[in-house]
Amino acid sequence: MPQGSSQPRPTHRVVLVVDENSNPFEMSCAIEVFGLPRPELGRELYDFRLCAAAPRTRMRDGFFTLTDVAELDAADEADTLIVPNRPDTDTPRSPEVLRAVRRAHARGARLVGFCSGAFTLAEAGLLDGRRAACHWMWADAFRARFAQVRLEPDVLFVDDGDILTASGSASALDLGLHVVRRDHGAEIANAVSRRLVFAAHRDGGQRQFVERPVPTVPDESLAPLLAWAQERLDEPLTVAGLAARAAVSPATLHRRFRSQLGTTPLAWLTGERVALACRLIERGEERLDVVAARSGLGTAANLRARLRRDTGLSPSAYRRRFGPAAGEALFV
């Protein structure tokens, strides 16, 4: 929070633990999502701090040394604790860091692991019997060491309630925005993503990598079709209709969605409609039949089912939490 600000201090504290040989990129992702001032929103979203077990922490490959951050006991004040990650996954984490992670979990803090952070959570004994994601490059090593963890090796991130894990470096941003969306709603998450110039929503179930991240033939890009469909979500769009618009067969459209987005046309379309429904509710629309019609979800019953599946909330609970009269965000 900037010095001299008259805004109330955010009530939700996010603390990132930096350990020896931690990756700078994921640390920067956390700072970008949770630590920067948000003057365009008129309020700050989180109280963010960095902490470390030692006064001087050598970052990955000795790129630089981190100093002047809070001591490790700052982790004991976290509502959300982001655990350390690093490329040398075979080296055990320091016992004091693992103890801090266990203490945070025991008192009910939300835990987040980016990339190899899943190793930290598993070493702390907190992932047994639970779902988790980690980078595909370390999936076999992770399974060999932590057989009791239900690893999902081909997804961007896993939200398992109070423990969330992201698969790789860039998916740290996906998971960070997912956390913002969970805490503050789709409208605020979209504003943060615009600031980052990053995709507002990639579902955690998407694949970690796609066969052709950059299309080799420019006119095969899905961008024009996606933009066209986003302007018509209230219309009866179908996969066959999208394929006809793109002048390809439905099978070819499926292949392009899989290769470029890592999902299916129907899953993408449904996700966009749910996101629009969330924004409409946040902007104050109370009539569920209107929200369902304008978002293309059809009926109030379908809206209720889709919203509960994607957010865990009913429309009325979502409105209480994120609508115009919600006030300060409530945290789970």
Side-chain angles (χ1 to χ4, degrees):
M1 166 110 35
Q3 294 296 319
S5 172
S6 61
Q7 298 177 27
R9 189 177 185 85
T11 58
H12 190 99
R13 171 164 287 185
V14 178
V15 176
L16 168 68
V17 181
V18 182
D19 202 6
E20 189 73 15
N21 211 28
S22 282
N23 287 322
F25 182 84
E26 285 81 356
M27 178 183 72
S28 299
C29 288
I31 293 170
E32 284 280 345
V33 174
F34 302 110
L36 294 188
R38 303 288 176 193
E40 69 275 18
L41 300 180
R43 61 188 173 96
E44 302 306 319
L45 304 181
Y46 299 97
D47 178 9
F48 179 81
R49 301 184 73 183
L50 288 168
C51 75
R56 298 173 60 85
T57 304
R58 182 177 180 271
M59 300 297 289
R60 177 178 181 173
D61 298 328
F63 288 141
F64 58 88
T65 298
L66 193 68
T67 62
D68 298 323
V69 299
E71 296 180 356
L72 188 58
D73 58 8
D76 293 327
E77 302 174 3
D79 299 296
T80 294
L81 186 68
I82 304 175
V83 306
N85 71 328
R86 62 187 186 203
D88 53 331
T89 56
D90 291 334
T91 303
R93 270 58 174 172
S94 66
E96 55 189 325
V97 167
L98 295 179
R99 285 194 294 269
V101 172
R102 293 187 190 106
R103 287 196 304 271
H105 183 258
R107 61 181 173 77
R110 179 170 59 192
L111 303 181
V112 174
F114 293 150
C115 196
S116 59
F119 282 81
T120 302
L121 293 165
E123 282 185 46
L126 303 179
L127 288 181
D128 285 359
R130 301 189 63 155
R131 299 164 53 236
C134 78
H135 196 286
W136 60 267
M137 190 168 62
W138 291 306
D140 290 342
F142 187 93
R143 285 197 193 93
R145 289 179 59 186
F146 307 111
Q148 300 305 311
V149 180
R150 294 161 54 196
L151 183 67
E152 299 189 9
D154 195 27
V155 298
L156 293 177
F157 61 83
V158 166
D159 180 343
D160 200 39
D162 60 340
I163 300 181
L164 301 90
T165 46
S167 60
S169 296
S171 59
L173 288 173
D174 290 299
L175 180 53
L177 288 170
H178 172 77
V179 169
V180 174
R181 187 178 304 107
R182 209 171 94 167
D183 291 343
H184 295 282
E187 197 86 318
I188 294 294
N190 284 350
V192 174
S193 71
R194 285 195 298 271
R195 173 87 170 262
L196 292 167
V197 196
F198 191 75
H201 178 65
R202 291 201 298 168
D203 184 74
Q206 286 187 212
R207 295 168 57 198
Q208 285 189 30
F209 57 92
V210 295
E211 295 173 5
R212 292 183 298 163
V214 180
T216 56
V217 181
D219 63 5
E220 287 189 359
S221 170
L222 288 170
L225 178 65
L226 302 184
W228 179 84
Q230 285 169 331
E231 295 295 323
R232 296 164 174 81
L233 293 174
D234 59 335
E235 299 179 11
L237 300 177
T238 63
V239 174
L242 292 176
R245 174 71 186 183
V248 298
S249 69
T252 297
L253 187 69
H254 271 275
R255 285 195 297 272
R256 290 185 182 177
F257 264 80
R258 282 292 187 188
S259 67
Q260 296 181 36
L261 299 180
T263 189
T264 66
L266 183 59
W268 176 85
L269 188 58
T270 301
E272 290 295 313
R273 284 172 163 160
V274 172
L276 176 56
C278 289
R279 294 196 297 273
L280 292 171
I281 294 172
E282 291 170 32
R283 293 169 186 172
E285 180 55 68
E286 297 185 357
R287 297 164 297 177
L288 294 190
D289 56 340
V290 172
V291 173
R294 290 180 60 188
S295 64
L297 291 174
T299 66
N302 190 41
L303 168 63
R304 290 189 187 94
R306 290 292 179 179
L307 198 66
R308 187 175 291 279
R309 192 201 70 170
D310 283 22
T311 70
L313 300 171
S314 66
S316 58
Y318 192 92
R319 183 183 302 111
R320 286 194 299 271
R321 181 164 177 177
F322 300 122
E328 291 298 318
L330 301 177
F331 292 90
V332 295

